[in-house]
Every structure is written in C-alpha cells, then in structure tokens.
Amino acid sequence: MSSRMFKFGVTAASACAGSVIAAWSIDRWNSPHVVNNAVQRPPKRKRTLPMRSEQIKSLMSGDEYDVLIIGGGATGAGCALDSVTRGLKTALVELDDFASGTSSRSTKLIHGGVRYLQKAILGLDLEQYRMVKEALAERATMLESAPHLTHPLPIMLPVYTWWQVPYYWVGIKAYDLVAGDRNVKSSYLLSKKDALELFPMLKKDKLCGAIVYYDGQQDDARMCLAVALTAARHGATVCNHVEVKELLKKDNGSGKQVLCGAKVKDHISGKEFTVKAKCIINATGPFTDSIRKMDDPTVKSICCPSSGVHIVLPGYYSPDQMGLLDPSTSDGRVIFFLPWQRQTIAGTTDLPCEITHSPTPTEDEIQFILSEIKNYLNADVEVRRGDVLSAWSGIRPLVSDPNKDDTQSLARNHIVHVSPSNLITIAGGKWTTYRAMAEHTLDAAVKACNLKPERAEAVTSYLKIEGGQGWTPTMYIRLVQDFGLECEVAQHLAKSYGDRAFAVSKMASLTGKRWPIIGNRIHPEFPYIDAEIRYGVREYACTAVDMIARRLRLAFLNVQAAQEALPIVVDIMGEELQWSKEEKERQIKHATEFLANEMGHAINRTSKERIPIKLSKEEIQTYVKRFQLIDKDKKGYVSINDIRRALKSFGDGDVSGEQLHDILKEIDTNMNGQVELDEYLQMMSAIKTGDVAYSRFARMAELEEQKHEAANLKQKISVDRSGGGL
C-alpha cells in the first residue's frame, strides 16, 4: 500500500512540475499585449444619462456614424464601449432588450475554464491554453472594473476516490499558475471534516476530501446593461427594441460594394428610418448567420447552436459563499451548483437546438440536472421537482471559423471575420472574454474600414463600469443611515447599482411605517423596491419583461414571485411611460407568456399534472373532508369566493383580488377558474412525493379543518360537564 502511495505521489509531483514547465515555456512564446497605462487615459464620461427618446432622435438625425453595432448582448455592448472610448462616433441597435438573449442566461460565472485547461495540458493544445490564459486575465479585469456586480467565489471540487486527490490538486494548481499575478485567490486542499464543515449538504459517504479553487461570479444581465450604459454616458447612441431590416451598400469608388448603413425599425414607436455608418459590426450571438446572409445570401452558415439549461433552487440547497463543481457527470458533462442572490443555480446541459428568440427548457433537461445533483447531496437534502423555482435555456453560439478552409470543426475561441463588403462579424467566445473580444473586433474594424480613432488602442482594460467608480463594500450602510432603508434592501441596491444606488434611493416612496422609512417592496420575499422600477425606465426598460427579467432578476430567481409582482410592476411602469389600460393588459399578457414559456412556469405546472395520485385511503379521506369544509355550498368545486370566505375567517380580510387569483391558479391545473377535488388530491400527492414544495391552498384547507375541529370541541364540552368552574 505504501509503495502504491509513493508511486501516486511521484506521479502527482511529476505532473505538477511538468505543467509548471509547460506553462512557463508557453508564456515565453505567448507574451500578452500590455497597454501603456501611463500614456492612454480613458475619456471623461457624461454626468447625465440621455433618455431613450433622445437616443432615438440621435439615431434618426441622419448623421453618419463611424461604427454601427448590431446586437446588444455582452459582446455588442463591449464593442460599443471600446469604440466610443477610442473616440469613434458610435451607435448600437438591439432587436429586443440589452442582454435579452444568451447574455442573461449564463451560469453567472466569470471563469477561465478548468476543463479547457485540463484538455490543453493533456492534449498539448496551445490554442486552448492561450484561450484559458486570456480568459483568466479578463476574469481579473472584470472583477476590477465592476466590483459591485462581481465578486470572487470559492468553488469546491469534492473527491470520492483517494487517488484522484493528487490528480485534481495538480490540475487546480496549474489553473492558479496560468493565471499568474492575475489570480483571484489561491486554491487549497481540504480534509473530509473541513469539507463537510464548509459544505454541510455534501454527501459524506466515501468522501476523501475536497479541493477549493476560486473563480468570479456576476449578475450577467445587469453587467451587460452597465456596459451599455457606460458606453451611453461616454457618448454612444445605444437603442434597444430597434431591429435592422436591411443592410445598405454603396460603391467605394473602385467598383467594390461596401456597407454604408442600415434600414432599421423602432418597435416602440413603429417608425422606420435609415442609419448611416462607415463600419457595421455584427455581434448578434446565435443570430450571427441571419445578419451575414443579409449582407450576402450565398454565405454558408457558421453557427452551431447548443442549448444550455439552468434551474434555480431554494437557497438552503447550498452555503451562502461556496459553490460546487461536478467534474464528470453520467454523460461526461460538467455541472455547477452555485449560490446566487440567496438562491441556488444548478446547470448546465449541452444539447443541439434550433435558433430561436424564445428558447424553452424541457422537462428532460430539468430532470437530468436534478438527478446529477442528487449524487452529491446527503440524505437530509431531498432533491424535489417542486423546489425548482425557475428554469431557463440559453443558446451557446458555437461557430466554425470562416477564415479557415476547414469550416467543419468548431472554433474553441472567438473568431473575427471581415466580409468582402466590410461586415465585421464577431462570433463565439464566452462572457468572461467580452472585453478582449470587443478589442479584437475594433482593431479589425479600424483596419478594414480605414477608421480614424482618437486613440489607436483600447482603454477599456482600466475603465470602471457604470456604478463601479464610487462603490465601496460598506456603501450600503450610508444608504441605511441616510435614507432609512432596510439593511437587506440597501445591500441589494449597493450590489446592483453601485454608486448609482443613491439616485435609485431618492426615487423611493415613503412606507408610512416607523421603519423602514422608505422603500416599498414589490414582493415580500425579495428586496426589490418600487424605486427600481422607476429608475429602470431611465435605464431604457420599455416593457414589463425588460423589467422583471433584466433590470430586476425576479423572473430568473422565482417565476411564481415574478408573476405575483407583475401587476405592481406594470402599474408603476404605466405611470412612467403613460400606458393606457389596454397597453397595461397587453404588457401583463406578454410578460405572463414569457414567464410561462421561457422561465419554466408552464413546465412547472405541466410537471404537476403528470403526477399520479399516491395517497393512502386514510389520507384521501382526510383531504376529502378538508375539501368539503371549504366547499360549504356543496357545489363539488371550490370557487374564488370560497377561498375569500375561508381567508376572512382566518383574519386575512385584506387579501387582494390578485392574491386570490394567484392562490387559485397554483392548483387550478385545467385553468377553468375553479378547483375540483381531483386537482386538490393531485396537489396533496405532489406535496407528499416532493414534486411540489408548498401550496397556500393546501395550508388554507388544513387550517379550515383545525378551525372546524376546534369549534366541534367547544360544542362538546358544555358548561354543565365542565362543572361551570375554573
């Protein structure tokens, strides 16, 4: 045994030494480009953020832009910021909202890619190594540029086979080594006891120990929005809900047709107009090919879309500040299990899919994630389908490189391609490297379109993103003391808006209570307040979906809570945007469809309908009795008036109509506005099996039975039998 241990020790030491030497050697061949910070200085930003109407007016003015960017995701927003800070006249248009596609549906990690480094070292793959090194450098830049929206996150890699301890330890140490002086924090080894202390939910059987390494975490949608807003403050014209209908070309004087602008449509006002531009950048992610074919219908498609589904579970599934990595799932994928905004994210899957503006998660993908995380959690944590609070699918824009003759193999990194008409396409890559991708894209654009920037090189590597300039970790205390906000709300505002949290707080309404003084929550379970909706309109939110999904992250955190908060959100947005009653109804309908199809609300409901009734005879008798107590008129079903009457009897007389409908909808699976007995029994069976975590209707029925029994007991014990005394 000691001989075998010695051999493993020698192997691990040799592998570590080898990876050190390899990394050092490759670094010598591939020295990163360093910007001279002493010479380059970022331009000053504007004090005020232009309103959307002003941005549209600028776009319609007929002035020629140096650069027009199509796509408002991470890459497009990054290109806009890079371009405008170089001194180029810049415009950006986005069909939907900023980060409405893949950029808001990520794993929320800022990472180099542990598994890519493993492949790079074992396969001696220089390209993958360079990709990881660049991503690790960009990881550090993101953490520095937006400290309010990002933070380091320790991630645990549990080891259940003793010989894998040195193997994984060497790999993670190589990850630290490649990051060099841009490393977040050093990784470390844990004993079984220490691992369980830090991650109590972990399965302890056969656990040998664990390795903890660090990556970054972010609020992806707000990060993308902050980059776009930073570009706007520097003078870029950025407009969401503006669709490119046609690309325009002209003769460049030598017989070559080059792009000179685009016909666009503003979906908010319905107006169509032309935007002139010397250079057009295609940064549309999964929709890359649609713009490329708008430029040249004969080009071959290069995008190979892949669906990645994530689910959100309650916060008690993971510690507040420790993630988990499953390095090898049953089908060879990697699953992350991460705390995020007081909930837990689990994912992701990787399956080929169709390109669509409305990707939807499937029940099979949700069940796959649930089954995988069960393997790592102890018996006390019952992984239940009913605990899935929301689920979403993001489309990864994997691409083949059109610059190479062999276009069959997928590019591991991003690619920048210049078409004969000077369409600059940036595709592939990942969230972490958005800034570097933008820099490479603008370098190519300047060269291909003969642009004349004030600054030849990018300055974004040391530029603070919107909200990051005056942020400090203890800034929330000033919000509590100066404005009278709840501590939880103040912390949320500071992390979401940075130094702009003071501007948000000034818009908060009085609560009418002794404490908190201001800040009415739009949902009791989350720290989002009314002021954020008003401020969100100033951040170019145009629809209810823009608000609940990307200005606030409620749709991603809890789809049911988002549905419940929707009427308040629409009312406040209606005040700000002067919506009519019909427009408010249209917004609620559209947002409800979004929550149902794209955030997993419909599939959560469908999963309940598929559950067979598994109740004992005694349980069925109990639930039938409860149902009949609520159905006092013996109609055979429970109506919304029955629910109102029951709640009033418990002292809840101030329940709103919307809340009553929400209670009804969570159990009314056939959507006929009433609850039948079989629906109630199915719900109780689902609660028993764990497919549903909680039901307010079920709790109401239980309380009704308790009240009925207490009343019967009071009747049975008469004054005569009690003796009439004390």
Side-chain angles (χ1 to χ4, degrees), residues 73-82 84 92 98 142 145-146 149 218 220-234 236 238 431 434-435 438 460 463-466:
T75 308
C79 287
L81 182 58
D82 189 295
V84 75
L92 178 150
F98 305 111
M142 281 187 74
S145 66
L149 291 169
Q218 66 167 334
D220 52 2
R222 285 213 61 87
M223 181 69 181
C224 179
L225 176 65
V227 174
L229 295 178
T230 307
R233 284 194 189 274
H234 279 285
V238 298
W431 229 119
Y434 86 93
R435 193 209 64 82
T460 50
L463 194 69
K464 289 291 185 186
I465 302 303
E466 173 91 350

Side-chain angles (χ1 to χ4, degrees), residues 592-608:
T592 300
E593 289 172 355
F594 168 80
L595 293 172
N597 299 325
E598 297 184 48
M599 292 290 111
H601 207 187
I603 203 167
N604 282 354
R605 180 180 288 274
T606 303
S607 70
K608 296 174 189 176

Side-chain angles (χ1 to χ4, degrees), residues 448-516:
C449 301
N450 196 28
L451 303 177
K452 306 295 181 185
E454 294 175 11
R455 300 167 190 83
E457 295 179 342
V459 296
T460 50
S461 59
Y462 49 95
L463 194 69
K464 289 291 185 186
I465 302 303
E466 173 91 350
Q469 208 151 18
W471 179 85
T472 65
T474 54
M475 193 187 80
Y476 73 93
I477 296 173
R478 288 173 55 199
L479 294 173
V480 174
Q481 294 177 336
D482 293 354
F483 292 96
L485 288 163
E486 287 179 80
C487 188
E488 183 188 2
V489 170
Q491 288 175 324
H492 153 68
L493 293 179
K495 288 177 181 177
S496 297
Y497 301 91
D499 59 19
R500 305 303 303 164
F502 294 97
V504 179
S505 301
K506 288 176 182 177
M507 304 176 81
S509 60
L510 293 168
T511 63
K513 302 175 185 176
R514 186 182 64 81
W515 190 264

Side-chain angles (χ1 to χ4, degrees), residues 465-639:
I465 302 303
E466 173 91 350
Q469 208 151 18
W471 179 85
T472 65
T474 54
M475 193 187 80
Y476 73 93
I477 296 173
R478 288 173 55 199
L479 294 173
V480 174
Q481 294 177 336
D482 293 354
F483 292 96
L485 288 163
E486 287 179 80
C487 188
E488 183 188 2
V489 170
Q491 288 175 324
H492 153 68
L493 293 179
K495 288 177 181 177
S496 297
Y497 301 91
D499 59 19
R500 305 303 303 164
F502 294 97
V504 179
S505 301
K506 288 176 182 177
M507 304 176 81
S509 60
L510 293 168
T511 63
K513 302 175 185 176
R514 186 182 64 81
W515 190 264
I517 298 170
I518 64 166
N520 287 296
R521 295 191 183 214
I522 64 168
H523 193 281
E525 296 172 25
F526 292 89
Y528 300 116
I529 60 172
D530 54 349
E532 294 181 78
I533 302 170
R534 300 188 189 281
Y535 191 78
V537 172
R538 288 151 182 79
E539 292 182 320
Y540 308 142
C542 300
T543 70
V545 173
D546 292 351
M547 192 66 70
I548 61 173
R550 292 173 287 274
R551 303 309 180 280
L552 318 178
R553 303 312 308 275
L554 197 51
F556 284 82
L557 293 169
N558 189 318
V559 68
Q560 180 62 38
Q563 184 70 56
E564 292 167 4
L566 199 52
I568 298 174
V569 171
V570 169
D571 281 344
I572 297 175
M573 288 190 75
E575 290 175 18
E576 294 290 323
L577 296 169
Q578 285 84 51
W579 284 344
S580 63
K581 181 182 177 183
E582 292 74 22
E583 179 61 20
K584 287 182 182 180
E585 290 173 354
R586 192 184 73 82
Q587 289 290 335
I588 287 178
K589 181 182 177 183
H590 176 61
T592 300
E593 289 172 355
F594 168 80
L595 293 172
N597 299 325
E598 297 184 48
M599 292 290 111
H601 207 187
I603 203 167
N604 282 354
R605 180 180 288 274
T606 303
S607 70
K608 296 174 189 176
E609 293 172 2
R610 293 174 181 166
I611 300 164
I613 296 176
K614 295 181 179 179
L615 298 170
S616 67
K617 184 178 179 181
E618 291 76 15
E619 287 171 330
I620 290 175
Q621 288 175 344
T622 298
Y623 298 141
V624 168
K625 178 184 174 184
R626 291 179 184 176
F627 186 85
Q628 290 172 343
L629 288 171
I630 298 175
D631 177 24
K632 293 186 182 297
D633 301 329
K634 303 198 183 316
K635 305 179 295 299
Y637 62 87
V638 171
S639 67

Side-chain angles (χ1 to χ4, degrees), residues 312-482:
V312 171
L313 298 163
Y316 57 74
Y317 270 82
S318 64
D320 290 338
Q321 283 299 321
M322 181 66 73
L324 189 74
L325 168 65
D326 177 358
S328 182
T329 61
S330 57
D331 63 352
R333 308 175 197 173
V334 170
I335 289 280
F336 285 100
F337 193 63
L338 310 168
W340 185 65
Q341 304 217 358
R342 306 197 178 194
Q343 311 286 40
T344 303
I345 288 181
T348 178
T349 60
D350 188 3
L351 292 171
C353 66
E354 296 295 321
I355 297 175
T356 172
H357 287 283
S358 305
T360 57
T362 66
E363 184 63 24
D364 288 343
E365 288 170 305
I366 293 171
Q367 290 294 346
F368 167 78
I369 296 171
L370 290 174
S371 65
E372 289 299 327
I373 62 178
K374 281 179 185 176
N375 298 330
Y376 280 88
L377 301 180
N378 65 41
D380 289 335
V381 184
E382 183 184 354
V383 180
R384 306 180 298 183
R385 176 62 179 85
D387 283 340
V388 177
L389 303 175
S390 67
W392 70 84
S393 172
I395 301 177
R396 296 186 190 89
L398 305 175
V399 292
S400 55
D401 193 343
N403 299 309
K404 295 181 179 179
D405 294 332
D406 175 20
T407 58
Q408 297 303 310
S409 58
L410 296 178
R412 296 190 180 105
N413 210 342
H414 61 270
I415 60 101
V416 179
H417 177 256
V418 182
S419 76
S421 63
N422 288 350
L423 175 67
I424 315 295
T425 294
I426 170 67
K430 59 181 180 178
W431 229 119
T432 307
T433 57
Y434 86 93
R435 193 209 64 82
M437 291 165 64
E439 182 177 342
H440 299 160
T441 305
L442 264 295
D443 287 343
V446 168
K447 183 179 178 181
C449 301
N450 196 28
L451 303 177
K452 306 295 181 185
E454 294 175 11
R455 300 167 190 83
E457 295 179 342
V459 296
T460 50
S461 59
Y462 49 95
L463 194 69
K464 289 291 185 186
I465 302 303
E466 173 91 350
Q469 208 151 18
W471 179 85
T472 65
T474 54
M475 193 187 80
Y476 73 93
I477 296 173
R478 288 173 55 199
L479 294 173
V480 174
Q481 294 177 336
D482 293 354

